[in-house]
């Protein structure tokens, strides 16, 4: 069985650990904060065997060297980022898969936020419903800033996420939900699902609870970036969000 732990890191990042209870294999998705990750490992009695990096930004790879040295963990990440991801041992480009404690993990390339951003899809997580660790590609009601890629890149990346099974849980790397929702309502003020979900999100956040994970089915209803009909429309919405 696969167990996923989510915990806040830094200002508004989420850390994630995935653990296979049969083999003991444990991976951290990105390394926002080594001390927090170590604390959760100790609490659960898990030993870190792998680090999976989604992209090269410091709040995703900053703990790589410390954790790898401490635990002897391998580091999987975008091969194109070998020069900007410290300690990378297993470069991947998207399209391939690997085994984690006997479970298939698929690597999907999702450029946009960065040119070589990847996400990790674990189809057998959550009793076969699947989980995807999406880094800074998609957020609840939002998408990552286009630092390196084009709106067309992000449009295609969104389409790849939308094409995963609807029940797939999406583990977004930041808690941006309330501010994203405020903006999303300016794009789709009459979207009843969006209006209703905002109440849910406000209730969760007022109790200090995460709105992550979301799901493919939910984002298809409330995410204006996933719902954009074209790359150019996504680009317009992204530009409006940048100035919001
Ligand atoms: Zn980033």
């Amino acid at each position: 069985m696969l167990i996923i732990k989510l915990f806040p890191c830094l200002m508004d990042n989420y850390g994630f650990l995935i653990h296979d209870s049969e083999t003991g294999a444990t991976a951290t998705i990105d390394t926002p904060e080594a001390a927090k990750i170590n604390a959760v490992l100790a609490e659960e009695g898990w030993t870190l065997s792998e680090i999976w990096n989604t992209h090269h930004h410091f709040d995703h790879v900053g703990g790589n060297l410390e954790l790898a040295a401490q635990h002897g963990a391998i580091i999987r990440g975008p091969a194109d980022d070998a020069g900007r991801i410290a300690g990378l041992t297993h470069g991947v480009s998207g399209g391939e898969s690997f085994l984690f404690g006997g479970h298939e993990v698929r690597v999907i390339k999702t450029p946009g936020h960065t040119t070589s951003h990847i996400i990790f899809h674990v189809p057998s997580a959550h009793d076969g419903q699947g989980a995807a660790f999406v880094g800074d590609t998609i957020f609840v009601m939002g998408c990552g800033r286009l630092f390196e890629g084009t709106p067309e890149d992000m449009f295609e990346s969104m389409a790849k996420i939308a094409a995963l099974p609807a029940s797939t849980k999406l583990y977004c790397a930041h808690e941006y939900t309330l501010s994203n929702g405020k903006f999303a309502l300016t794009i789709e003020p009459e979207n009843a699902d969006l209006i209703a979900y905002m109440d849910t999100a406000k209730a969760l956040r007022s109790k200090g609870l995460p709105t992550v994970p979301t799901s493919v089915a939910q984002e298809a209803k409330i995410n204006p970036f996933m719902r954009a009909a074209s790359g150019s429309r996504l680009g317009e919405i992204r530009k409006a969000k940048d100035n919001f």
Side-chain angles (χ1 to χ4, degrees):
M1 201 180 76
L2 290 168
I3 302 164
I4 296 173
K5 290 289 281 185
L6 168 155
F7 44 95
C9 288
L10 305 173
M11 281 283 287
D12 50 31
N13 284 71
Y14 283 121
F16 309 107
L17 286 167
I18 183 166
H19 173 79
D20 176 48
S21 55
E22 274 141 65
T23 61
T26 306
T28 179
I29 293 77
D30 291 326
T31 57
E33 208 178 338
K36 280 269 176 71
I37 294 164
N38 272 328
V40 179
L41 287 168
E43 204 177 284
E44 300 294 332
W46 297 344
T47 307
L48 191 69
S49 42
E50 307 198 4
I51 294 169
W52 303 349
N53 287 140
T54 58
H55 65 296
H56 68 88
H57 288 156
F58 190 73
D59 60 322
H60 295 259
V61 303
N64 273 16
L65 291 180
E66 185 181 339
L67 289 167
Q70 219 172 328
H71 302 278
I74 64 161
I75 304 181
R76 304 182 192 271
D80 290 347
D81 280 338
R84 38 185 200 179
I85 293 185
L88 188 69
T89 58
H90 291 58
V92 287
S93 306
E96 59 272 269
S97 55
F98 61 88
L99 283 177
F100 171 73
H103 299 267
E104 186 193 18
V105 182
R106 297 179 185 155
V107 182
I108 302 170
K109 186 163 186 179
T110 59
H113 181 65
T114 67
T115 48
S116 43
H117 196 296
I118 54 172
I119 68 173
F120 297 89
H121 176 220
V122 189
S124 63
H126 300 301
D127 293 327
Q129 291 188 75
F133 298 96
V134 294
D136 288 355
T137 297
I138 185 169
F139 300 115
V140 182
M141 298 179 281
C143 81
R145 271 180 195 267
L146 300 177
F147 286 119
E148 298 173 12
T150 65
E152 291 296 336
D153 290 335
M154 185 56 95
F155 179 72
E156 284 169 28
S157 296
M158 285 285 166
K160 288 181 192 172
I161 294 171
L164 296 174
S167 61
T168 308
K169 295 229 163 81
L170 301 176
Y171 288 83
C172 319
H174 291 270
E175 178 63 61
Y176 290 156
T177 300
L178 292 185
S179 61
N180 281 348
K182 213 167 153 189
F183 171 76
L185 282 168
T186 68
I187 303 295
E188 298 193 41
E190 281 160 29
N191 180 334
D193 292 312
L194 178 54
I195 294 165
Y197 177 73
M198 275 303 275
D199 289 336
T200 307
K202 281 179 193 161
L204 286 169
R205 296 306 297 146
S206 72
K207 292 178 203 145
L209 295 172
T211 60
V212 173
T214 178
S215 69
V216 171
Q218 175 167 276
E219 293 310 304
K221 289 184 198 161
I222 64 176
N223 188 313
F225 298 94
M226 186 180 266
R227 291 161 63 78
S230 65
S232 64
R233 178 62 185 146
L234 186 150
E236 282 170 19
I237 302 173
R238 185 62 253 181
K239 198 169 262 178
K241 176 70 166 72
D242 291 344
N243 299 316
F244 185 62

